């Protein structure tokens, strides 16, 4: 699953790419995490509209979000059948802009197991869009929360060695078709496929991305460009045994 992604290009570039009327001003984000507000492009009044939504889909029938699991990814294989997503797939499709995302590969076994982080981006570093679904959740007190989740499918050849699932990245020529409120399920279903193997490059990076607080360009540096770790000191007699740092910061499993 995709548990972190990035939007680092300026707002003007995203507006030119996706053609909405609004003129938002937002800083670069190198480590977007679940539950945070994220830019969404949806159809509205015959045009495209920019909105901020909570990354974490809440179906309309949920009474209390605390009792519903955090949904950041929606499987294309079951979205049309599940009551949680069926109506959104028919009526509330949107684009989730990005210029990079992250996945983790589990390596080793037992105490030697570790998670290796990888950055996925287009070789030209340009923007792309995840296929996504949105929903407005109405609370008992009358307040509303606009929520969104990206759609995922089987990994392509580039991603498969690292993770078995991949976000659905739409071909720019298919953006209008995905957003078309009159499109049939058969028409939109044909758009939900793994990205071409040559669309993205995979870059091994350090583990700084594991912490949501780390939101700077340095987290995207390739491993080969990271400064070498300092040699550990000789253990002192009776020194307390070091503990392994946590895999993430409490935002939930990334896998």
């Amino acid at each position: 699953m995709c548990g972190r992604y990035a939007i680092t290009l300026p707002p003007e570039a995203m507006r030119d790419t996706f053609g909405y009327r609004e003129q938002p001003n937002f800083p670069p984000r190198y480590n977007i995490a679940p539950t945070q507000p994220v830019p969404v492009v949806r159809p509205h009044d015959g045009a495209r509209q920019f909105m901020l939504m909570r990354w974490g889909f809440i179906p309309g029938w949920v009474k209390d979000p605390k009792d519903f699991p955090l949904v950041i990814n929606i499987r294309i294989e079951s979205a049309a059948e599940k009551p949680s997503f069926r109506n959104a797939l028919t009526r509330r499709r949107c684009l989730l802009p990005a210029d990079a995302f992250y996945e983790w590969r589990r390596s080793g076994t037992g105490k030697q197991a570790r998670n290796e982080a990888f950055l996925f981006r287009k070789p030209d570093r340009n923007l792309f869009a995840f296929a996504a679904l949105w929903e407005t959740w109405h609370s008992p007190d009358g307040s509303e929360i606009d929520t969104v989740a990206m759609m995922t499918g089987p990994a392509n050849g580039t991603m498969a060695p690292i993770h078995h699932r991949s976000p659905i990245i739409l071909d720019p020529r298919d953006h209008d078709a995905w957003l078309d409120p009159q499109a049939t399920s058969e028409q939109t279903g044909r758009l939900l496929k793994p990205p071409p193997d040559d669309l993205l490059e995979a870059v091994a990076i350090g583990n700084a991305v594991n912490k949501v607080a780390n939101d700077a360009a340095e987290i995207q540096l390739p491993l080969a460009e990271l400064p070498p770790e300092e040699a550990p000191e000789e253990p002192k007699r009776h020194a307390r045994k070091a503990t392994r740092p946590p895999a993430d910061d409490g935002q939930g499993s990334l896998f």
Side-chain angles (χ1 to χ4, degrees):
M1 61 182 276
C2 177
R4 302 281 174 82
Y5 71 100
I7 304 173
T8 64
L9 292 174
E12 296 79 11
M14 199 164 87
R15 186 171 185 260
D16 290 342
T17 298
F18 295 103
Y20 45 78
R21 296 170 294 185
E22 293 74 21
Q23 300 186 38
N25 185 22
F26 50 86
R29 296 294 314 281
Y30 291 89
N31 199 5
I32 298 172
T35 75
Q36 293 179 348
V38 295
V40 169
V41 179
R42 69 171 190 176
H44 182 69
D45 288 342
R48 295 184 181 183
Q49 180 186 45
F50 173 99
M51 287 188 67
L52 290 177
M53 296 187 182
R54 172 190 183 265
W55 185 15
F57 188 96
I58 307 175
W61 50 263
V62 171
K63 294 182 179 180
D64 187 344
K66 295 178 182 178
D67 299 328
F68 191 77
L70 181 63
V71 177
I72 61 173
N73 301 154
I74 299 172
R75 297 174 65 94
I76 62 173
E77 296 90 340
S78 56
E81 285 74 40
K82 288 194 173 183
S84 297
F85 315 122
R86 187 167 52 223
N87 288 339
L89 182 60
T90 302
R91 302 183 181 91
R92 288 178 288 279
R93 298 181 298 274
C94 61
L95 305 175
L96 203 57
D99 53 45
F101 65 95
Y102 308 96
E103 286 290 1
W104 285 256
R105 179 173 65 191
R106 188 79 167 172
S107 65
T109 59
K111 293 183 179 180
Q112 303 301 318
R114 61 193 181 96
N115 297 316
E116 301 168 323
F118 286 83
L119 165 71
F120 286 88
R121 63 190 177 195
K122 295 177 66 176
D124 61 10
R125 313 292 178 88
N126 279 337
L127 288 151
F128 52 85
F130 302 122
L133 305 180
W134 67 275
E135 183 71 83
T136 299
W137 181 75
H138 302 268
S139 73
D141 65 7
S143 61
E144 297 180 348
I145 304 175
D146 294 316
T147 70
V148 66
M150 67 181 67
M151 306 199 73
T152 66
N156 63 11
T158 303
M159 291 196 63
I162 296 163
H163 199 278
H164 67 285
R165 302 289 293 180
S166 168
I168 299 299
I169 299 175
L170 294 169
D171 188 306
R173 295 170 295 184
D174 294 332
H175 288 178
D176 285 338
W178 177 249
L179 296 177
D180 183 1
Q182 304 303 319
T184 66
S185 58
E186 291 77 15
Q187 290 171 329
T188 57
R190 289 195 292 267
L191 310 178
L192 301 177
K193 54 185 182 292
D197 290 349
D198 61 354
L199 180 68
L200 304 170
E201 61 180 4
V203 181
I205 60 175
N207 61 9
V209 67
N210 293 355
K211 297 284 187 179
V212 173
N214 296 332
D215 192 11
E218 287 75 17
I219 71 170
Q220 294 189 347
L221 286 175
L223 277 177
E225 297 180 18
L226 293 177
E229 296 181 358
E230 296 182 2
E233 297 180 356
E234 288 294 325
K236 297 179 181 180
R237 183 175 296 179
H238 306 305
R240 185 178 178 182
K241 184 178 181 181
T243 57
R244 178 187 292 184
D248 61 50
D249 53 9
Q251 285 289 328
S253 172
L254 299 178
F255 305 98

